Amino acid sequence: MRSDHLAVSVIGLGSMGSALASVLLEQGYETTVWNRSAHKAQSLVDRGARLAATPAEAVAASPLIIACVLDYEALHTVLDPVARLLAGKVLVNLTSGSPEQAHQTIAWARSHSADYLDGAIMTTPPGVGSPEMMFLYSGSAAAFEAHRPTLAALGDPLYLGADPGLASLYDAALLGLMWSTMTGWLHGTALVGADQTPATAFTPVAIRWLTTVAGFLTTYAPQVDAGRYPGDDATVDVQIAAIDHLLHAATSRGIDNALPLLLKSAMERAKAAGHGSDSYASVIEVLKNPAVGQ
Ligand code: NAP
């Protein structure tokens, strides 16, 4: 068992909270747990966790409180009645929510003299404890620095800044990227599958392509920041011509085309706004302002 200052309390033992508590226990932290449905604590208690009978006991047990419940409503249901016990402690909230909820919660925590870090977990429960997996944090820099080693036990901790909403905002942006990418991959998989190519044959090629696409993002990020989009690699006009091949191939095979049609419409609006000879990065002008190119 580690020394007392490495005591941690975990509030919420759903799939994710249980994984967090389990890794902390494995890493030798003195781990106190509380969950609304107490039976979910049993396997952790069998492995050495202390069971708090109430949220008050959980908060009192450790200088660092990690909360991971369903949503902010549940968070406040659990912690509001014991908020005064948070004074002088650090609350790390890994419950998913919006940037606005993070702003409200840091103000609430500070009003009770607690330090607050908002977090977002960029993995599923089996990934907790892997140094490859990103955990995003924003809010109190002092809290982050003080507890960095404990946070590093859970995954790779990335501190995004003092604005507490940043972790939630990145989380939303990254999930959007994930869904777009996975749906693009599924669309491609359905397309080649219509001509009897199995997903397992297509996917290694798709993954190599994603590495090339990652390079495009690196090229385009400074263009976005500068608001200038030199079309010296592939222009929006060229991409509009190319997406017609995708639409044709998919239509001929009876594949749903809602996604490529949406993409084509964004490209056409960028062209209508004068970006036909610019790079694909210029499509951001349409996304930032839905009136552009209408
Ligand atoms: P889950 O398995 O459904 O667990 C939900 C937890 O919230 C349970 O501990 C549950 O207690 C508690 N809870 C719900 N309503 C409550 C209330 N009114 N009062 C007190 N406790 C309440 O969900 P999860 O997968 O662990 O997710 C927890 C958080 O992590 C969510 O915000 C989720 O978005 C985030 N997250 C999850 C993943 C993932 O892959 N699972 C990944 C990233 C982020 P009971 O056990 O008593 O019901």
Side-chain angles (χ1 to χ4, degrees):
M1 194 69 69
R2 297 191 180 202
S3 61
D4 190 51
H5 77 280
L6 291 175
V8 186
S9 292
V10 177
I11 289 180
L13 300 175
S15 313
M16 188 50 90
S18 294
L20 299 170
S22 178
V23 165
L24 291 167
L25 264 182
E26 275 163 27
Q27 297 282 321
Y29 287 85
E30 187 181 306
T31 308
T32 299
V33 294
W34 180 85
N35 193 54
R36 178 180 62 174
S37 310
H39 69 273
K40 291 189 187 167
Q42 194 53 54
S43 67
L44 292 160
V45 170
D46 291 345
R47 291 163 51 208
R50 292 181 179 181
L51 179 64
T54 60
E57 273 186 36
V59 171
S62 315
L64 173 61
I65 321 297
I66 296 178
C68 187
V69 290
L70 184 64
D71 53 23
Y72 276 66
E73 194 182 337
L75 180 85
H76 285 290
T77 300
V78 174
L79 289 182
D80 280 359
V82 297
R84 66 184 173 79
L85 299 175
L86 285 167
K89 298 181 184 265
V90 170
L91 174 62
V92 174
N93 179 24
L94 294 175
T95 303
S96 300
S98 68
E100 289 68 30
Q101 287 173 315
H103 280 276
Q104 286 158 5
T105 308
I106 200 169
W108 167 85
R110 285 182 176 155
S111 75
H112 296 287
S113 307
D115 226 351
Y116 181 82
L117 259 185
D118 206 88
I121 305 172
M122 305 314 299
T123 185
T124 53
V128 175
S130 161
E132 314 276 298
M133 297 303 162
M134 293 188 293
F135 277 59
L136 309 179
Y137 295 100
S138 54
S140 166
F144 180 78
E145 284 311 326
H147 293 286
R148 186 197 282 267
T150 309
L151 302 178
L154 302 174
D156 184 12
L158 304 188
Y159 179 70
L160 302 174
D163 176 343
L166 283 172
S168 295
L169 198 59
Y170 269 59
D171 187 28
L174 292 174
L175 289 175
L177 175 62
M178 177 187 76
W179 289 317
S180 304
T181 305
M182 291 202 303
T183 310
W185 165 71
L186 288 170
H187 188 267
T189 299
L191 186 63
V192 299
D195 285 9
Q196 281 75 51
T197 298
T200 45
F202 175 62
T203 298
V205 180
I207 288 171
R208 276 192 66 182
W209 178 233
L210 282 178
T211 309
T212 307
V213 173
F216 299 156
L217 306 193
T218 306
T219 302
Y220 290 153
Q223 295 188 9
V224 169
D225 284 345
R228 285 190 300 277
Y229 316 99
D232 46 17
D233 52 357
T235 62
V236 167
D237 283 340
V238 165
Q239 311 267 16
I240 288 171
I243 203 165
D244 279 339
H245 305 312
L246 169 60
L247 287 164
H248 172 77
T251 303
S252 327
R253 286 161 181 76
I255 305 296
D256 184 279
N257 256 339
L259 180 64
L261 284 171
L262 176 74
L263 301 175
K264 186 179 179 189
S265 122
M267 293 178 211
E268 282 181 330
R269 283 167 51 210
K271 179 184 170 72
H275 294 293
S277 318
D278 288 343
S279 78
Y280 193 81
S282 64
V283 171
I284 197 165
E285 295 296 336
V286 166
L287 302 179
K288 286 196 299 189
N289 182 356
V292 165
Q294 292 285 13

